[in-house]
Amino acid sequence: MKTNIQFVQMPTSETMEVYVHEKLDKFYKKYDWIIKADVFFKKEKDPKGKGKICDVELSLPGPKIYATSNEKNFELAFKETLSDLERQLKKRKQEMKPYM
């Protein structure tokens, strides 16, 4: 399993990288057919107080799965994105046919 984490036009954060790897390891154990994850963190000027964006793209058999969220901090944005991905993965798992 390969994980790419990118901080777009902002400094990198060691604690955020550790947090992402920790959460994605649990995710990989549950869905072992995930090939790779690309995680992007972006900052956007937003007058409403949000503006921390997290995009995650998962490569797996078939089409890629993509989710994004915009929250007031990166941890919340990542959590929200993971819950969206989990919903998509459950649906994909039901559609997968076992080959013998």
Side-chain angles (χ1 to χ4, degrees):
M1 219 68 57
K2 186 173 181 182
T3 305
N4 296 325
I5 302 172
Q6 293 184 8
F7 295 87
V8 180
Q9 295 181 350
M10 56 184 278
T12 61
S13 168
E14 286 290 323
T15 55
M16 199 59 204
E17 285 187 25
V18 170
Y19 179 75
V20 168
H21 282 291
E22 182 181 301
K23 292 292 182 182
L24 284 178
D25 283 344
K26 292 178 186 175
F27 219 59
Y28 291 149
K29 287 177 185 168
K30 190 171 185 181
Y31 302 102
D32 60 346
W33 36 276
I34 297 173
I35 300 166
K36 129 181 149 168
D38 293 317
V39 183
F40 301 95
F41 290 105
K42 304 173 190 172
K43 256 188 197 175
E44 185 179 81
K45 293 182 177 145
D46 190 2
K48 296 176 188 162
K50 292 186 178 182
K52 308 286 194 284
I53 301 170
C54 176
D55 299 333
V56 178
E57 184 179 279
L58 295 178
S59 297
L60 39 107
K64 292 182 178 180
I65 291 179
Y66 178 80
T68 186
S69 62
N70 185 357
E71 294 293 333
K72 59 186 171 189
N73 66 34
F74 287 119
E75 289 85 6
L76 281 174
F78 184 68
K79 262 187 190 176
E80 184 66 31
T81 305
L82 274 186
S83 67
D84 291 347
L85 287 171
E86 179 125 34
R87 213 171 308 122
Q88 292 179 46
L89 284 169
K90 283 181 182 177
K91 188 175 180 182
R92 174 74 62 89
K93 192 172 185 177
Q94 289 174 352
E95 293 172 359
M96 288 178 79
K97 295 182 175 98
Y99 293 99
M100 297 182 193

